[in-house]
Amino acid sequence: QLQLEESGGGSVQSGGSLRLSCVVNGHSYYSAVMGWWRQVPGKEREGVAYIDSAGDTGYGDSVKGRFTISRDSAKNTMYLQMDSLKPEDTAMYYCAADATYSWWRLLHAGAVPRFQGQGTQVTVSS
């Protein structure tokens, strides 16, 4: 089992930055592939970024070049540095963890990661 706890959300003006953190407590097997996804009420869920235990990363098309995902294994913490924020980045952001990539690949089809946090709200004003 894993417990994931996000922090770092808030309100910022367009062009600003925020850093989200996700503290992970539990067995490392289930945190092999971690990441972030987001959702706006009434819209589809969107994969933001993932990082695996080898440090390989991937990003959603809408955030490439602006967001950076990283993880500090010594602190059991994953981060999402969000720069050049836009109003369309406004959403609830969820930390996710699973043993495989399936949740990332099938998020648009309704898949859910095995573990996720409660979410942290990010609001970007124009």
Side-chain angles (χ1 to χ4, degrees), residues 49-116:
Y50 71 83
I51 184 168
D52 65 18
S53 55
D56 293 333
T57 60
Y59 295 89
D61 289 341
S62 64
V63 306
K64 285 180 181 176
R66 299 187 297 120
F67 291 10
T68 304
I69 191 170
S70 62
R71 61 194 295 176
D72 185 334
S73 297
K75 296 182 179 180
N76 293 326
T77 303
M78 177 180 64
Y79 304 98
L80 183 69
Q81 178 65 40
M82 305 186 293
D83 298 318
S84 302
L85 282 160
K86 304 175 181 180
E88 50 264 46
D89 293 317
T90 295
M92 185 71 78
Y93 284 70
Y94 296 90
C95 171
D98 206 325
T100 71
Y101 288 96
S102 59
W103 68 272
W104 174 263
R105 292 172 178 151
L106 299 174
L107 192 66
H108 66 284
V112 294
R114 183 158 183 171
F115 301 98
Q116 66 182 40

